[in-house]
C-alpha cells in the first residue's frame, strides 16, 4: 500500500491546496482524483492570484468580460466560480460514493469582509447559490466577526470551511459555533444530515513565527506547530464526544473535522513531509500544496501520530512560556497577519485582473463603448442558448431560409462526431504511410480545401517532421496546373478529390487531368463528398481507394472539423486527439457539449460576454455597424495561412443583402496613419513578442483583437471560435450565415460562356484594357474611390510566391493612391471565398480584374476544353456577374510576360 492509500485507510483525507484552470482543462485534476491521491480541494486568494495573475490560462474568459465593461472584482468572481464549479463536478462521484463524506471544494468569501459579520453571511449565501453544488464549502475566517457568521451560515444549511484558525481558544469558539448553527437549524425544523464542515487549523506558520525567537539550534525549534495541532485534536475529541454532540448526531449531524492547513514545510532544514507525517489521525483532513503532495507520495510515512506524545506537546507550551513566548500572543499576531496577508493577496489579484481588463478594453480603441453596450445587451444574451438549441430564427424569418439554416448546424457537434472517426482516419493514414506515398494533393475549392492548406502550412512550421507533404490545387490556371502536375506525379502521390456538392467544376477539371496522368489508377485517388453525389458515384465506378462520406448537415465553409480537415490532418501525422481536445475546449468555452455538465449548462446560460465565440461575433457586428466593416487580418508568418480560412468564412457568410464584413487578409502592414476609421484589426499571433507594427496600431488607438496560438492544435479552437463568431455576427447584422445566394450567378454565366465557346469555337471577351492603356485607365478608375470604399484585385494569374509578392506590391501602391483597404485574390479561388461578398455585400467595392495571355495551355482531357479557356470563361462570367450586381469593374489584360508588365504597372502607379 502506497503512503497515500495507507493514510486514507487510517481515516485522514488528503485535500489539494491548489486550483488553476490548466489542471481542470488538461485532465490532471481528474486524474489525481481517479488515482485516489486527493479527496478535496481548497482555494484562497493567494492561490487564485497565482493562477490568474501569473498565467494566461484565463484570457479566453477574461478578455471578453473586459470588452463587456465588467470591473475587476466581478471578473474575478466569475472566473473563480467557474473553476470551483468545474472542480465540484470532478469530485462529485467521490462525494456521492462517500455519501457526502469527502469530495469537497472550498471557495473563500472576500478577505475584505473578515471583520463584517452580516456581509460575510450575505456573500456566503450568494456564493452557495451561484455555485449551486452540494459539495461546495464556503470558507469563512475565524475572526471574532467571522464566528457568528459561521453559526448563521451553518444554520442556513451551507457547508463551511472555517479558516485561519491558530489558537486553541479560537478553535473552541469555532466548534461551538458549528454546534450552535446545527441546533439553530434543528430548531427551525430543517434537516442537518447533509451539512459538512471542517475547521482549518494553520500549522507551519506557527513554527515560522516562533522559531526566529529561539536561539539557533534550540531543541524547541520546529516543535510548537505540531504541538499546537495535537492539542487541537485533543480538544476536537473532547467536544465531539459530549452529550450535546451525541444529541445532534442522532439527528444525522456529521463531525466538524479538523483540517490541517499551511502544511508545506517552509524551513528547508525540516523534513518536507513533517506536517503530514506527524498529524495523521481519524476524522481529519490535511490540505497539502503540490510540492508536499509529491513528497508524501514519494516517501511519506503513514501512521496514526496525532494522539502520540500529548504530554510532550503540553510541555513544549510550558517551556515556551518560561522563556517569554506566550502562545496567545503568537496566535493573535498570526490571525491578524493571516487576515492581512489574504486581503493583500486579494488586492494584488484584483490589481492584476484590472490591469489586464484595461489592456483588453483599450485594445478596442473607439469601439470600446459600443462593444460594451452590445455585449451587455439583452439582444445578445439570448444568442448562446438559442444557438445551442439550433434555433434557425436567429438567421432567417422565411421558411426557406430557416430550413437552410437548420440543415447546416451540424458543425456544432463536429468535434464529437470526429472523435468517433479517429480510428478510421488513423488507419487510413497508416495505410498510405506504409506504402511510402510521400505527397498528397487536394483537388478542391473553398471550404473543401482551405483547411487542408492551413494544416499543411502549420505542420510545415512544427517541430515534428510530417510523414509526407501536402498541397492543394484550387486553380484552373494552366501554368499553375502544369507546375502542380510536375510536382505531384502519380507514382509518388495520392490525390484527394474533395467536393461537398460532388460537382465543383474546377475540381472535376483537375481530376480529369490527373486521372489521365495516372492512367486510370483508382488506387491513387480518394474522394471526400456528401453521400449520393455524382462524385461518390464516379469514385465507385472508377475504383477509388476510399470514399469518405461527409456530414450533410455541415456546410463547406464550416467543415474544418469534419473529413475535409481531419483526413488531411491524419495524413500529415498530426495529433488528432490533441486537435479535437482544443476544439472541445473552445466548444465548452462557447457553452456547448454533447452531454452538458453542470458547469457547461451554466456557461450556455451565462452572460454572452463570457462566451469567446459570441463575444468575438459581437465585436465584429458592432464594428460593422459603426462603419468599421473592413476586418483586416494580420498574422505572424508561421500562422498566416489561417487568414485565408477566416477570409472565406467571414466573407461568404456575411456578405449578402447589401450588408456584411469585408475581410482584408494579409494586407501589408503599414504605419497607423495609413488606415482610416473603417478598420477593425485581428492579429493572429504566434506566442512570442508582439509585432512592432501591431503594437503601433494599438498605441495609435486602432481597435486590435489579438488571438494567440501556441501550437498547431490551437487552430482547431480557432476554427470553432470563428464559426460561432460569424454565426453570431450574421445574426446581429440580419443575414443568413448559411446560404450564398450570389455565388451561383457567376457559375451559371461561366457555363453559358463555355457552351458558346464550344459552339462557336471562340470565347467572347469584352471591355478588356490591354497593357499599354492600363496605367491611365487604372488611374482614372481609382480616382473615383472615396473614403470607406475598398479596392479588390481579382487576379486570374498563377498563384505562386512571385505573383503573391507582385500582388502585395500592387496592394500597397493602390492603398497609397486611395487611402482605402485593398484586397487581393486569385481567380477562380476567390470566387469560392470573397466572391459572395463581392456581389452580395456592401456596394463599396472597386474591382480590378486582371487576366493574361496564357503561353502554354493545357487541355482538360475528355472535356473538349482547355484550362486556359476555362479560366478566361470564369473571369468573363464573374465580370458579368459583378456588373449585374451594380459593381464598378475595370478589366486589365496582360500579355504572356505578365509578371514584368504587372510590376511595371505597379511602379508607374507609385510614381
Amino acid at each position: 500500500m502506497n503512503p497515500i492509500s495507507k493514510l486514507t485507510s487510517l481515516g485522514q483525507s488528503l485535500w489539494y491546496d491548489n486550483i488553476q484552470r490548466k489542471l481542470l482543462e488538461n485532465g490532471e485534476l481528474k486524474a489525481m482524483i481517479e488515482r485516489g491521491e486527493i479527496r478535496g480541494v481548497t482555494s484562497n486568494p493567494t492561490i487564485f492570484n497565482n493562477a490568474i495573475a501569473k498565467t494566461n490560462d484565463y484570457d479566453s474568459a477574461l478578455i471578453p468580460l473586459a470588452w463587456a465593461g465588467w470591473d475587476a472584482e466581478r471578473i474575478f468572481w466569475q472566473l473563480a466560480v467557474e473553476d470551483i464549479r468545474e472542480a465540484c463536478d470532478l469530485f462529485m462521484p467521490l462525494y456521492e460514493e462517500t455519501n457526502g463524506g469527502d469530495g469537497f471544494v472550498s471557495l473563500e468569501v472576500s478577505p475584505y469582509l473578515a471583520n463584517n459579520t452580516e456581509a460575510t453571511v450575505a456573500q456566503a449565501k450568494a456564493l452557495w447559490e451561484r455555485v449551486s453544488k452540494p459539495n461546495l464549502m464556503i470558507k469563512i475566517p475565524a475572526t471574532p466577526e467571522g464566528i457568528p457568521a459561521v453559526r448563521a451560515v451553518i444554520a442556513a444549511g451551507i457547508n463551511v470551511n472555517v479558516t485561519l484558525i491558530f489558537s486553541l481558544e479560537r478553535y473552541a469558539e469555532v466548534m461551538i459555533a458549528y454546534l450552535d448553527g446545527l441546533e439553530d437549524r434543528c430548531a427551525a425544523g430543517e434537516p442537518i444530515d447533509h451539512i459538512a464542515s471542517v475547521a482549518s487549523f494553520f500549522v507551519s506558520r506557527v513554527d515560522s513565527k516562533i522559531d526566529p525567537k529561539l536561539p539557533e539550534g534550540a531543541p524547541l525549534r520546529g516543535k510548537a506547530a505540531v504541538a499546537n495541532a495535537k492539542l487541537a485534536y485533543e480538544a476536537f475529541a473532547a467536544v465531539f464526544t459530549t452529550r450535546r454532540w451525541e444529541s445532534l448526531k442522532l439527528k444525522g449531524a456529521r463531525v466538524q473535522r479538523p483540517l490541517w492547513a499551511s502544511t508545506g514545510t517552509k524551513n528547508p532544514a525540516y523534513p518536507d513531509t513533517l506536517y503530514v507525517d506527524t498529524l495523521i489521525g481519524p476524522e481529519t483532513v490535511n490540505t497539502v500544496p503540490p510540492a508536499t503532495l509529491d513528497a508524501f507520495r514519494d516517501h511519506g510515512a503513514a501512521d496514526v501520530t496525532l494522539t502520540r506524545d500529548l504530554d510532550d506537546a503540553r510541555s513544549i507550551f510550558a517551556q515556551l512560556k518560561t522563556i517569554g513566548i506566550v502562545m496567545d500572543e503568537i496566535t493573535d499576531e498570526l490571525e491578524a497577519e493571516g487576515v492581512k496577508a489574504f486581503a493583500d493577496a486579494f488586492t494584488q489579484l484584483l490589481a492584476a485582473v484590472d490591469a489586464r481588463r484595461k489592456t483588453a478594453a483599450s485594445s478596442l480603441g473607439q469601439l470600446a463603448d459600443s462593444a460594451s453596450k452590445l455585449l451587455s445587451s439583452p439582444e445578445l444574451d439570448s444568442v448562446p442558448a438559442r444557438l445551442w438549441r439550433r434555433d434557425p430564427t436567429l438567421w432567417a424569418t422565411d421558411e426557406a431560409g430557416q430550413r437552410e439554416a437548420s440543415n447546416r448546424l451540424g458543425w456544432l457537434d463536429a468535434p464529437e462526431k470526429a472523435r468517433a472517426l479517429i480510428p478510421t482516419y488513423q488507419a487510413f493514414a497508416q495505410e498510405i504511410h506504409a506504402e511510402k506515398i510521400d505527397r498528397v494533393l487536394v483537388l478542391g475549392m473553398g471550404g473543401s480545401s482551405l483547411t487542408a492548406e492551413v494544416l499543411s502550412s502549420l505542420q510545415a512550421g512544427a517541430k515534428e517532421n510530417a510523414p509526407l507533404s501536402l498541397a492543394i490545387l484550387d486553380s484552373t490556371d494552366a501554368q499553375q496546373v502544369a507546375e502542380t502536375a510536375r510536382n505531384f506525379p502519380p507514382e509518388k502521390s495520392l490525390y484527394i478529390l474533395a467536393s461537398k456538392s460532388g460537382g465543383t467544376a474546377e475540381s472535376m477539371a483537375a481530376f480529369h487531368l490527373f486521372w489521365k496522368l495516372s492512367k486510370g489508377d483508382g488506387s491513387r485517388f480518394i474522394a471526400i463528398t456528401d453521400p449520393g453525389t455524382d462524385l461518390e458515384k464516379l469514385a465507385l465506378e472508377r475504383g477509388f481507394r476510399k470514399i469518405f462520406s461527409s456530414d450533410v448537415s455541415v456546410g463547406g465553409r464550416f467543415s474544418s472539423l469534419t473529413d475535409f480537415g481531419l483526413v488531411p490532418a491524419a495524413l500529415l501525422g498530426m495529433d488528432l486527439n490533441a486537435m479535437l481536445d482544443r476544439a472541445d475546449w473552445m466548444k465548452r468555452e462557447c457553452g456547448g457539449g454533447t452531454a452538458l455538465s453542470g458547469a457547461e449548462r451554466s456557461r450556455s446560460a451565462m452572460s454572452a460576454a463570457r462566451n469567446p465565440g459570441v463575444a468575438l461575433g459581437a465585436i465584429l457586428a458592432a464594428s460593422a455597424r459603426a462603419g468599421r466593416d473592413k476586418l483586416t487580418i494580420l498574422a505572424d508568418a508561421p500562422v498566416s495561412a489561417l487568414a485565408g480560412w477566416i477570409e472565406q468564412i467571414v466573407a461568404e457568410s456575411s456578405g449578402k443583402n447589401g450588408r456584411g464584413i469585408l475581410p482584408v487578409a494579409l494586407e501589408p502592414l503599414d504605419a497607423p496613419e495609413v488606415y482610416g476609421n473603417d478598420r477593425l484589426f485581428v492579429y493572429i499571433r504566434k506566442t512570442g513578442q508582439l509585432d512592432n507594427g501591431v503594437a503601433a496600431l494599438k498605441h495609435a488607438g486602432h481597435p486590435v483583437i489579438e488571438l494567440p496560438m501556441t501550437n498547431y492544435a490551437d487552430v482547431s479552437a480557432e476554427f470553432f471560435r470563428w464559426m460561432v463568431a460569424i454565426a453570431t455576427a450574421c445574426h446581429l447584422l440580419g443575414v443568413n450565415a448559411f446560404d450564398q445566394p450570389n455565388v451561383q450567378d457567376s457559375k451559371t454565366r461561366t457555363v453559358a460562356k463555355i457552351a458558346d465557346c464550344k459552339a462557336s469555337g471562340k470565347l467572347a471577351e469584352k471591355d478588356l484594357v490591354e497593357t499599354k492603356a492600363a496605367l491611365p485607365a487604372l488611374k482614372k478608375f481609382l480616382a473615383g474611390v472615396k473614403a470607406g470604399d475598398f479596392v479588390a484585385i481579382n487576379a486570374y494569374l498563377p498563384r505562386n510566391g512571385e505573383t503573391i509578392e507582385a500582388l502585395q506590391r500592387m496592394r500597397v501602391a493602390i492603398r497609397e493612391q486611395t487611402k482605402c483597404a485593398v484586397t487581393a485574390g486569385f481567380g477562380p479561388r476567390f470566387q469560392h471565398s470573397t466572391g459572395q461578398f463581392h456581389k452580395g455585400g456592401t456596394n463599396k467595392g472597386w474591382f480590378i480584374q486582371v487576366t493574361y495571355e496564357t503561353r502554354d495551355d493545357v487541355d482538360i482531357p475528355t472535356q473538349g476544353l482547355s484550362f486556359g479557356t476555362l479560366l478566361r470563361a470564369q473571369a468573363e462570367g464573374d465580370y458579368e456577374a459583378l456588373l449585374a450586381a451594380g459593381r464598378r469593374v475595370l478589366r486589365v489584360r496582360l500579355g504572356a510576360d505578365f509578371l514584368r508588365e504587372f510590376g511595371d504597372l505597379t511602379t508607374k502607379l507609385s510614381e
Side-chain angles (χ1 to χ4, degrees):
M1 188 179 294
N2 66 52
I4 295 177
S5 298
K6 186 175 180 183
L7 180 141
T8 304
S9 72
L10 295 173
Q12 184 171 88
S13 298
L14 277 187
W15 289 4
Y16 197 43
D17 197 27
N18 185 40
I19 192 168
Q20 53 184 318
R21 188 148 297 187
K22 184 176 181 180
L23 294 176
L24 298 167
E25 292 178 347
N26 67 14
E28 180 56 28
L29 189 69
K30 181 180 180 182
M32 294 167 72
I33 297 167
E34 292 174 347
R35 291 194 298 263
E37 294 178 352
I38 58 173
R39 302 175 71 80
V41 156
T42 51
S43 66
N44 60 47
T46 302
I47 288 170
F48 273 118
N49 186 41
N50 289 331
I52 297 174
K54 299 180 181 180
T55 74
N56 294 318
D57 296 348
Y58 295 80
D59 284 358
S60 67
L62 190 157
I63 290 172
L65 297 177
W67 291 342
W70 288 28
D71 62 40
E73 187 163 1
R74 186 182 179 192
I75 291 173
F76 161 71
W77 286 114
Q78 176 67 42
L79 302 180
V81 165
E82 288 178 18
D83 280 2
I84 296 298
R85 187 186 286 131
E86 197 148 344
C88 283
D89 284 343
L90 293 176
F91 276 105
M92 191 61 69
L94 177 62
Y95 174 80
E96 293 172 345
E97 177 189 322
T98 59
N99 192 28
D102 254 327
F104 291 96
V105 182
S106 295
L107 175 62
E108 189 162 346
V109 296
S110 168
Y112 297 160
L113 307 179
N115 300 315
N116 188 325
T117 302
E118 291 183 1
T120 295
V121 173
Q123 190 174 70
K125 290 179 178 179
L127 290 173
W128 177 258
E129 183 176 349
R130 187 170 176 182
V131 175
S132 189
K133 300 291 179 181
N135 55 335
L136 170 69
M137 276 192 173
I138 301 296
K139 289 181 75 174
I140 297 174
T143 58
E145 296 80 8
I147 297 298
V150 170
R151 176 177 179 170
V153 173
I154 289 292
I158 296 171
N159 304 324
V160 177
N161 178 339
V162 190
T163 189
L164 285 177
I165 306 171
F166 295 94
S167 72
L168 298 175
E169 180 182 359
R170 183 74 80 219
Y171 180 42
E173 294 175 6
V174 168
M175 290 187 285
I176 296 305
Y178 176 61
L179 299 181
D180 287 344
L182 292 176
E183 289 171 345
D184 292 346
R185 188 165 177 81
C186 288
E190 298 291 341
I192 61 173
D193 58 333
H194 66 285
I195 300 173
S197 181
V198 295
S200 293
F201 204 88
F202 279 54
V203 183
S204 68
R205 295 189 193 187
V206 174
D207 280 340
S208 297
K209 188 76 172 176
I210 292 176
D211 282 358
K213 301 177 184 295
L214 299 171
E216 191 70 34
L220 290 178
R221 280 196 164 213
K223 304 294 185 183
V226 172
N228 199 33
K230 287 187 174 183
L231 294 176
Y233 188 67
E234 183 182 46
F236 158 76
V239 168
F240 287 94
T241 53
T242 61
R243 183 176 299 175
R244 182 184 183 188
W245 165 250
E246 292 299 329
S247 175
L248 289 166
K249 184 178 179 181
L250 289 173
K251 297 175 182 178
R254 304 166 186 260
V255 298
Q256 183 188 55
R257 290 183 290 176
L259 179 149
W260 313 125
S262 184
T263 53
T265 304
K266 295 177 173 58
N267 188 332
Y270 299 160
D272 53 5
T273 59
L274 172 64
Y275 301 116
V276 183
D277 295 348
T278 56
L279 298 176
I280 299 172
E283 295 188 302
T284 59
V285 178
N286 195 320
T287 185
V288 291
T292 304
L293 178 65
D294 292 341
F296 189 79
R297 183 197 301 113
D298 181 67
H299 53 264
D303 201 359
V304 176
T305 51
L306 266 173
T307 53
R308 295 177 187 170
D309 305 321
L310 290 178
D311 289 339
D312 289 347
R314 279 184 278 271
S315 174
I316 289 168
F317 271 38
Q319 292 176 62
L320 289 171
K321 188 174 183 180
T322 62
I323 59 175
I325 298 175
V326 180
M327 285 300 297
D328 287 345
E329 294 176 0
I330 293 293
T331 54
D332 285 349
E333 289 177 13
L334 285 169
E335 180 180 297
E337 291 168 1
V339 170
K340 183 179 185 303
F342 277 0
D344 289 347
F346 196 57
T347 299
Q348 184 180 354
L349 166 61
L350 294 184
V353 172
D354 197 48
R356 291 197 185 180
R357 179 194 67 80
K358 289 176 179 176
T359 299
S362 66
S363 71
L364 294 182
Q366 296 177 3
L367 275 179
D369 288 343
S370 59
S372 175
K373 289 177 183 176
L374 181 55
L375 283 166
S376 303
S377 68
E379 175 186 16
L380 196 65
D381 270 345
S382 66
V383 171
R386 291 176 66 191
L387 175 66
W388 290 108
R389 287 200 308 267
R390 277 72 165 170
D391 179 359
T393 63
L394 277 168
W395 304 283
T397 56
D398 63 293
E399 184 177 342
Q402 290 178 17
R403 185 167 55 251
E404 178 70 19
S406 292
N407 292 339
R408 289 291 181 261
L409 292 173
W411 57 272
L412 291 166
D413 299 322
E416 291 78 24
K417 294 176 182 176
R419 186 85 66 178
L421 292 170
I422 285 179
T424 301
Y425 297 142
Q426 291 177 333
F428 175 69
Q430 289 166 4
E431 174 188 320
I432 298 303
H433 300 159
E435 293 186 20
K436 306 300 182 183
I437 295 174
D438 67 0
R439 60 199 72 182
V440 173
L441 181 65
V442 179
L443 311 175
M445 304 298 295
S448 296
S449 61
L450 284 174
T451 302
E453 183 175 62
V454 172
L455 297 179
S456 178
S457 175
L458 291 174
Q459 179 66 326
K463 293 180 181 179
E464 311 91 52
N465 291 323
L468 45 72
S469 63
L470 184 146
I472 71 169
L473 177 60
D474 58 354
S475 175
T476 53
D477 176 82
Q479 285 192 30
Q480 187 171 342
V481 169
E483 178 67 17
T484 303
R486 286 191 291 271
N487 292 334
F488 289 85
E491 65 274 12
K492 296 182 178 181
S493 306
L494 175 74
Y495 305 113
I496 300 178
L497 187 51
S499 169
K500 275 197 69 67
S501 66
T504 308
E506 299 91 339
S507 304
M508 295 310 300
F511 162 71
H512 290 304
L513 174 65
F514 285 98
W515 182 258
K516 179 180 179 180
L517 293 175
S518 72
K519 299 179 181 179
D521 183 357
S523 71
R524 291 288 167 177
F525 292 83
I526 70 166
I528 305 176
T529 189
D530 281 0
T533 64
D534 288 343
L535 174 53
E536 181 185 65
K537 181 181 177 182
L538 174 73
L540 290 170
E541 290 174 350
R542 302 286 181 99
F544 279 23
R545 177 188 288 263
K546 191 169 181 65
I547 300 171
F548 288 91
S549 294
S550 53
D551 188 342
V552 296
S553 68
V554 181
R557 57 186 174 274
F558 288 81
S559 65
S560 297
L561 298 172
T562 69
D563 296 341
F564 290 98
L566 295 176
V567 171
L571 290 167
L572 286 165
M574 291 176 143
D575 185 337
L576 300 186
N577 279 303
M579 292 179 66
L580 292 177
D581 284 347
R582 295 301 290 158
D584 281 334
W585 169 76
M586 182 56 73
K587 180 175 179 177
R588 290 193 301 271
E589 287 289 286
C590 293
T594 303
L596 292 179
S597 69
E600 289 160 347
R601 277 195 301 274
S602 297
R603 285 183 186 177
S604 68
M606 70 173 58
S607 167
R610 172 55 187 86
N611 185 314
V614 170
L616 175 59
I619 298 298
L620 299 179
S623 180
R625 289 175 175 180
R628 293 182 177 272
D629 55 356
K630 316 300 188 305
L631 178 66
T632 305
I633 308 164
L634 310 173
D636 290 339
V639 292
S640 60
L642 181 58
W645 182 91
I646 294 172
E647 179 183 51
Q648 189 213 14
I649 199 167
V650 171
E652 199 163 47
S653 298
S654 73
K656 54 202 75 166
N657 303 336
R659 306 170 196 170
I661 300 161
L662 175 71
V664 184
L666 303 180
E667 185 184 37
L669 183 59
D670 211 324
E673 57 270 20
V674 167
Y675 303 101
N677 60 4
D678 59 345
R679 302 277 192 148
L680 169 66
F681 294 89
V682 166
Y683 173 39
I684 308 166
R685 178 179 178 181
K686 186 76 171 71
T687 304
Q689 187 173 356
L690 180 67
D691 181 272
N692 289 335
V694 177
L697 290 174
K698 295 178 72 172
H699 183 73
H702 284 289
V704 180
I705 297 172
E706 291 185 48
L707 299 176
M709 286 179 57
T710 303
N711 54 54
Y712 69 65
D714 286 343
V715 75
S716 299
E718 291 307 318
F719 288 151
F720 203 90
R721 184 207 303 265
W722 280 96
M723 287 188 275
V724 173
I726 198 59
T728 301
C730 287
H731 160 69
L732 294 171
L733 294 176
V735 297
N736 190 336
F738 305 103
D739 64 3
Q740 42 282 329
N742 302 96
V743 168
Q744 189 57 45
D745 185 28
S746 180
K747 294 179 181 179
T748 301
R749 293 174 186 275
T750 297
V751 170
K753 295 295 176 186
I754 292 172
D756 289 345
C757 178
K758 288 181 176 180
S760 65
K762 64 179 182 177
L763 180 67
E765 298 175 271
K766 56 181 177 292
D767 302 331
L768 290 171
V769 177
E770 299 296 336
T771 304
K772 291 181 180 179
L775 182 61
L778 181 57
K779 286 184 174 181
K780 180 179 179 181
F781 184 73
L782 294 177
V785 180
K786 61 183 183 299
D789 288 349
F790 70 92
V791 178
I793 307 171
N794 297 341
Y796 289 82
L797 305 174
R799 183 169 177 261
N800 54 45
E802 286 184 314
T803 50
I804 290 173
E805 179 59 31
L807 279 184
Q808 292 292 73
R809 289 195 297 270
M810 178 61 85
R811 293 175 79 176
V812 172
I814 293 174
R815 187 176 62 194
E816 289 176 352
Q817 291 279 320
T818 64
K819 312 304 179 189
C820 290
V822 183
T823 68
F826 286 89
R829 172 187 168 105
F830 76 83
Q831 292 185 18
H832 298 260
S833 177
T834 53
Q836 168 60 45
F837 185 96
H838 290 172
K839 291 96 174 176
T842 56
N843 194 1
K844 300 178 182 179
W846 297 73
F847 299 90
I848 303 170
Q849 187 187 92
V850 181
T851 62
Y852 77 109
E853 183 182 329
T854 304
R855 180 177 293 162
D856 298 307
D857 208 347
V858 177
D859 284 336
I860 304 172
T862 73
Q863 301 302 298
L865 189 71
S866 71
F867 280 99
T869 301
L870 174 57
L871 184 67
R872 286 161 53 208
Q874 289 177 309
E876 190 73 22
D878 197 56
Y879 170 63
E880 291 188 359
L882 286 168
L883 292 179
R887 275 29 179 180
R888 293 149 296 214
V889 192
L890 172 68
R891 304 189 77 193
V892 175
R893 173 72 173 271
L894 303 174
D897 195 8
F898 64 91
L899 263 180
R900 181 189 59 77
E901 294 175 11
F902 195 69
D904 290 345
L905 183 60
T906 301
T907 300
K908 292 174 183 176
L909 183 65
S910 300
E911 291 175 350

